[in-house]
Amino acid sequence: MVVQRSFSSLAAFGAALLLAARGEARADEGMWTFDAPPIDRIAAATGARLDAAWLDAARASAVRLTNGCSGGIVSGQGLVMTNAHCVADCVQTLSGGGEDAYLTDARDREERCAGLQAEALLTITDVTDQVRASVQGKDGEAYVRAREGALALAELAACGQDRTLRCQAVSFFRGGQYKVYKYRRYNDVRLVFAPEAAVAAFGGDPDNFNFPRFAFDVAFLRLYVDEAPAATPVFLPWRSTPPAEGEASFVVGNPGSTERQLTVAQLETQRDLVQPLAQAQRLELRGRLLQFRADDPDRARGAAQALAWVENGVKIGRGRMALLNDRAFMAGKRAEEDALKARVAADPALAATAGVAWDRIADAQDAARDLYPAYRQLENGPGGSDLFYDARLLVRAALERDKPDAERLPEYGDARLPRIERRLLDAPPRDLALERIYLEHWLLKTREALGVDDPRVKALLGGDSPENLARALAETRLVDPAFRAELWAGGRAAVEASDDPLVAFVLRIDGMARAARAAYEAKVSGPVDAAAEAIAGARLALLGDQIYPDATFTLRLSYGRVAGWRERGRAVEPFTTFAGFYARASGAPPFVAPPRWLEARKALAPDTPFDFVTTNDIVGGNSGSPVLDRRGRVMGAIFDGNSHAIGGAYGYDATANRAVALTTAAIGEALSKVYGRAGLADELMGR
Amino acid sequence: MVVQRSFSSLAAFGAALLLAARGEARADEGMWTFDAPPIDRIAAATGARLDAAWLDAARASAVRLTNGCSGGIVSGQGLVMTNAHCVADCVQTLSGGGEDAYLTDARDREERCAGLQAEALLTITDVTDQVRASVQGKDGEAYVRAREGALALAELAACGQDRTLRCQAVSFFRGGQYKVYKYRRYNDVRLVFAPEAAVAAFGGDPDNFNFPRFAFDVAFLRLYVDEAPAATPVFLPWRSTPPAEGEASFVVGNPGSTERQLTVAQLETQRDLVQPLAQAQRLELRGRLLQFRADDPDRARGAAQALAWVENGVKIGRGRMALLNDRAFMAGKRAEEDALKARVAADPALAATAGVAWDRIADAQDAARDLYPAYRQLENGPGGSDLFYDARLLVRAALERDKPDAERLPEYGDARLPRIERRLLDAPPRDLALERIYLEHWLLKTREALGVDDPRVKALLGGDSPENLARALAETRLVDPAFRAELWAGGRAAVEASDDPLVAFVLRIDGMARAARAAYEAKVSGPVDAAAEAIAGARLALLGDQIYPDATFTLRLSYGRVAGWRERGRAVEPFTTFAGFYARASGAPPFVAPPRWLEARKALAPDTPFDFVTTNDIVGGNSGSPVLDRRGRVMGAIFDGNSHAIGGAYGYDATANRAVALTTAAIGEALSKVYGRAGLADELMGR
């Protein structure tokens, strides 16, 4: 799930090197922005010339969920299709530990998902020039602060204080462009339908990032405004007929993050430092969560989602490292970089702005080796621990709000505070037993990464052992929303006076965390960002509309087609069927068909296409993205990538990278025949 | 603990490349056999010319423990010094979960360590010619089987059925030489003294493989014969004065395994396949054991030792991978290989036998990529699970004993059966909760490594989930020694009729495991061993006595000196003191001084050298090795290596690799003043 892609076989690679050396996007590659859709390129590849109406409807119907997923509006009454794994937390909260298929049909039982918001893109505005002006002549930490300040101002200028809107300033092409994305914001998002976890995540970790696949990973939400379903006159028409092999497919969604424009020196840092450190920690955390679950069946349900995310991360980490350690892949990246360097060197104007940029970035990698571990451990904090981040937000917001806007940490500017407040006051419940695991794991790994004799580690632990300290921190009262609200309202005085163990701890280590961040910004991210901006400028000048920006969890358009691929000389068909699902359902977890599916077996047409694959270029964040046909009808929901697509943060190869989706045909069948949700099916089909 | 070494900084490396290119051992490098001690080399390096008396006494006083450690005889009454971490299992069993310092003083309370044996080397006999003759003209699996058969015969010829002896045929120089090591065997080994775990493993995982260090990692055992202490007229004299900086140091012990003679192609397989797979599994298992311990304080003690071994393995794995990913290190290995290849090519006779050997090994690496994961998972089985291995031994011995000796799996030849019987009938208690973790982990990782759709995985799981299957297998009755004895006696009929879940499971999957092994032997280890033997022959012909064989858990001599090293431009002193120990003992685990040590603080001379480092070249298996001075007196006990020494399976660098030892001066002080063990101290000091 949450899809990541990668280059695949070495054989396929050789052929792609020539295009790579030119630095242009290859066949079916690309996550294109809606203000620069590659119409001609799409027409040449798919035969479909997308018009303004198609693009406007797709944009207006696409939603971004604030939990990192995508979705599509599929009725005039605010109905949104997304993945079941995108709403698992909400299902768990609302179903209260009991029945895990959220099967309510009556409109008045659609209940709110705490903390979840949906955002639909309205406009895109270029603010590159004003950001450029603000950073002129600055470098290091000052550069970073000036840029962040300018972006915050641009957001405020575009949205003002309108709480039905959200404005977000985004860097594209690693600083080559800055744009403000303005969204219609929906703060009230309710759960309409989610299937049983067993069928949503059928095949579990073993099948994740694999295909053939048999997961019913879909859920429906509804946008509400003023306690009533939102009117959404523009929506995606539902297609009940299955996709056909070879037909054009378009994915509209929010790929989260790619690093395809990193320099070779940066990729080497990823390979030698960043990814190994993260992966070692993830693997150990995975073991902890597996054991936590095994030791107590009552915990199984609460731990399952936490474990699923970590296991997903493990697969992504493995895929990324495999790609970074692939000599052919790195040779391709080197060839691409050398070609761009040569073109820059041949152009006096570009050479003046970007000529030394690669060396600057390489120099900063030496600093990264020294500074990254402390930055990661102290400033990023414990992965998974929502309560630590709640405490961090409370502490920092309290300290920063006392300062003039321009002197604050950029993420605590006035324009950003409402979002922080909402996160703190509108949070879903937290599981203290899991929080304690995350905290203990983080303390142990911080000691390991920095060394037991590092003064920061000594200060962090304050003479205690990681185990004891984590136990004490997990006594925090931050699980109580009222307590969070009180601290938020009380500001600096309340935070500084608090005897809550976690709040006091975060306050105590805050200076150390800020110092690690400041050092990293001064010596690594500041210099790198400035140099990357120069390279991006050169790339844009030389390659113009042949390139797309790295993913930034903003709305993108991907084109492709429904197609299998060849695996070790054998063809992998693009579709699975209901029949295949029942054949795989051995009854041993994670291959369990829920009772409803067993009962409905005879009613379902066995040959109905269930899951399918396309060549669309997608990554994590695209989960829940609608798959559209050339007429703009929705024919599937993205929920994963195949194994070749895992390392796709760094590249794409159309011969083997595949997006994995669920057909709307199967969704319609199952809603009617497995779940008896005729009303919902009627709404989808416009009946 | 269990010491592993590695190359260190890149800077140090350049200088070493020239020597490396000649393929000779560098300063202080080497684990030399007692039948070819490099007397002149040692004299040149240390100024000490070791004579036959010195060498004979050292050899006769050295013991090898069957749990993978070393030790030294230090009195005429069979007293053996080793590390506390080498007897942790025994301490736990004998102390029955109570007081964990095993402080008995009265001779009649010295209790037996179940399953532990000690072996003292008597003679070394070269059997290379007869092994060569037996494998003549064979290759692949037939080569492996013929060789193993010849080795088993050589053992039987040397020791007969004398149960006070053990003979072991060993390959040196990867097949360049075969020798039979004949040992005096002690089957009755009793615990005399072991300190509290808190001080034996002071600093725990954070301090493991680090220095400065403050661990009191020593224990004493006694060899018994016929219920009385063994008479050991040859023993190591005890030195009460501490080592001096710069003085010569000699380590006599049994380094377990190194791979310094692997070809570059094999090192790449280690780097890309073997080590990453093992490390990922270890990290996850570490997380499981950490959580298992955290979830229930009652388990803490039982899990601590299991966790310590896994964490030790994690550090070793990390060190190995760091070295294999070090471009300078690999360049050195390549230069060394190229130089040897050139010399082989220039010599027609060597070219004829070894010219194609490197290519043969490289070709086998392609097969390894396909075959290694199944071989590792199915034939090697679940790491840590003693009961699985018990079941495997019972099942295979039962099946093999029905065949003529020559047709059996070599490790089940008549000469090997007594050792198997002893393991099965004389085993320490097993912890079923830990066994279940190992089994579940192994089943999950096997499914992950081979894939959920692999027919072998389906057969392994038999339609069940790994979790459920592990739960069922952990219901085994093999924890009961009487049950093991019954199955051993009952042979094939008893094993095939058994309804014990683990025995039945191992029998069910045995064919599959054998097939994975046979395929690996036919395509990988067989061809590799034959080619390695040819290379070893060429190395011996060209370099003769300038080289030493890779470690094989046989007795070796290392020479060096007491010396610190420079770390990031700063000198690390070679000694720590009692004062440093107390300063580090914050009271937060793992930095806890036990009550006895706190009470004795004033009685101990604060400047007494505690732990120290030497340049000796040692690895895992050397734990417990005596450190001798030039007069043959014991002045320390090896228990670890420094961080640079971790990856030492592949190489050694005298500028930074250090062995970590405990001074006999500190041992004597503490025995008297902390533990009140005057009798033991008197025995050591010959009073």
Side-chain angles (χ1 to χ4, degrees), chain B residues 645-686:
Chain B
I646 293 179
Y650 307 119
Y652 171 84
D653 170 14
T655 62
N657 284 34
R658 291 295 177 272
V660 180
L662 171 62
T663 65
T664 47
I667 296 171
E669 276 277 287
L671 284 178
S672 301
K673 297 179 181 165
V674 179
Y675 296 103
R677 295 292 301 264
L680 182 55
D682 287 346
E683 182 178 350
L684 290 169
M685 294 167 199

Side-chain angles (χ1 to χ4, degrees), chain B residues 406-435:
Chain B
E407 291 172 21
R408 296 182 198 167
L409 292 172
E411 68 271 27
Y412 294 90
D414 281 329
R416 312 281 171 92
L417 290 177
R419 213 169 138 73
I420 294 173
E421 181 177 8
R422 189 167 307 107
R423 177 191 153 117
L424 287 168
L425 306 189
D426 190 22
R430 316 295 198 196
D431 179 335
L432 275 174
L434 283 172
E435 292 283 337

Side-chain angles (χ1 to χ4, degrees), chain A residues 32-199:
Chain A
W32 306 85
T33 56
F34 271 76
D35 58 352
I39 303 296
D40 293 340
R41 187 182 185 98
I42 292 172
T46 67
R49 180 163 290 277
L50 305 185
D51 59 16
W54 193 104
L55 291 164
D56 281 349
R59 175 196 45 75
S61 307
V63 301
R64 179 170 82 160
L65 299 175
T66 47
N67 62 5
C69 281
S70 297
I73 300 174
V74 287
S75 88
Q77 296 83 49
L79 191 66
V80 169
M81 177 178 74
T82 186
N83 292 151
H85 75 255
C86 294
V87 301
D89 287 342
C90 178
V91 170
Q92 199 184 323
T93 306
L94 294 180
S95 61
E99 166 64 66
D100 73 348
Y102 195 81
L103 302 166
T104 173
D105 200 23
R107 183 68 51 89
D108 64 0
R109 282 206 49 221
E110 291 175 0
E111 289 175 84
R112 221 179 132 243
C113 289
L116 186 64
Q117 298 146 51
E119 299 164 341
L121 181 61
L122 298 173
T123 61
I124 302 174
T125 310
D126 194 318
V127 296
T128 309
D129 291 344
Q130 65 206 67
V131 176
R132 280 285 143 70
S134 74
V135 300
Q136 192 69 40
K138 298 198 169 67
D139 58 13
E141 197 185 338
Y143 173 94
V144 174
R145 296 291 159 90
R147 181 192 60 201
E148 296 299 316
L151 296 176
L153 277 179
E155 291 175 2
L156 201 61
C159 272
Q161 301 294 343
D162 188 339
R163 299 194 60 151
T164 68
L165 299 177
R166 178 174 177 207
C167 282
Q168 186 183 25
V170 185
S171 156
F172 292 95
F173 295 104
R174 306 211 160 261
Q177 295 174 346
Y178 293 94
K179 295 185 178 173
V180 171
Y181 273 53
K182 182 173 179 174
Y183 300 89
R184 170 72 172 92
R185 167 154 64 189
Y186 296 93
N187 293 320
D188 184 352
V189 178
R190 305 193 188 183
L191 185 59
V192 176
F193 168 83
E196 303 86 342
V199 72

Side-chain angles (χ1 to χ4, degrees), chain A residues 140-141 144-145 375 409-410 516-527:
Chain A
E141 197 185 338
V144 174
R145 296 291 159 90
Y375 170 70
L409 292 173
R517 168 175 166 173
Y520 190 77
E521 287 178 350
K523 303 282 188 189
V524 185
S525 52

Side-chain angles (χ1 to χ4, degrees), chain A residues 244-325:
Chain A
E245 183 165 0
E247 82 164 289
S249 58
F250 302 92
V251 173
V252 180
N254 301 276
S257 170
T258 56
E259 302 190 301
R260 295 181 186 177
Q261 288 159 35
L262 294 188
T263 68
V264 171
Q266 288 176 293
L267 289 171
E268 287 173 347
T269 300
Q270 289 288 317
R271 178 192 67 194
D272 299 338
L273 175 65
V274 176
Q275 295 296 331
L277 185 58
Q279 185 71 349
Q281 295 190 8
R282 263 187 226 114
L283 285 163
E284 191 174 316
L285 183 58
R286 177 194 204 178
R288 294 193 82 125
L289 294 174
L290 277 164
Q291 195 60 36
F292 175 73
R293 186 182 67 168
D295 280 347
D296 183 350
D298 291 344
R299 296 162 163 175
R301 196 137 170 275
Q305 190 57 24
L307 180 61
W309 286 112
V310 172
E311 293 199 314
N312 197 52
V314 164
K315 279 205 174 173
I316 292 170
R318 190 182 303 141
R320 288 187 172 202
M321 284 170 66
L323 193 64
L324 292 167
N325 282 306

Side-chain angles (χ1 to χ4, degrees), chain B residues 210-276:
Chain B
N210 281 318
F211 194 85
R213 188 70 165 280
F214 308 87
F216 192 69
D217 195 352
V218 67
F220 290 95
L221 298 166
R222 195 181 304 278
L223 311 176
Y224 275 70
V225 173
D226 297 335
E227 303 295 328
T232 48
V234 181
F235 61 90
L236 303 170
W238 190 260
R239 174 169 151 183
S240 296
T241 55
E245 183 165 0
E247 79 163 292
S249 59
F250 302 91
V251 172
V252 180
N254 301 275
S257 169
T258 57
E259 300 189 303
R260 296 181 185 175
Q261 289 160 35
L262 293 188
T263 68
V264 171
Q266 288 176 292
L267 289 171
E268 287 173 347
T269 300
Q270 288 288 318
R271 179 192 65 196
D272 299 337
L273 175 65
V274 175
Q275 296 296 331

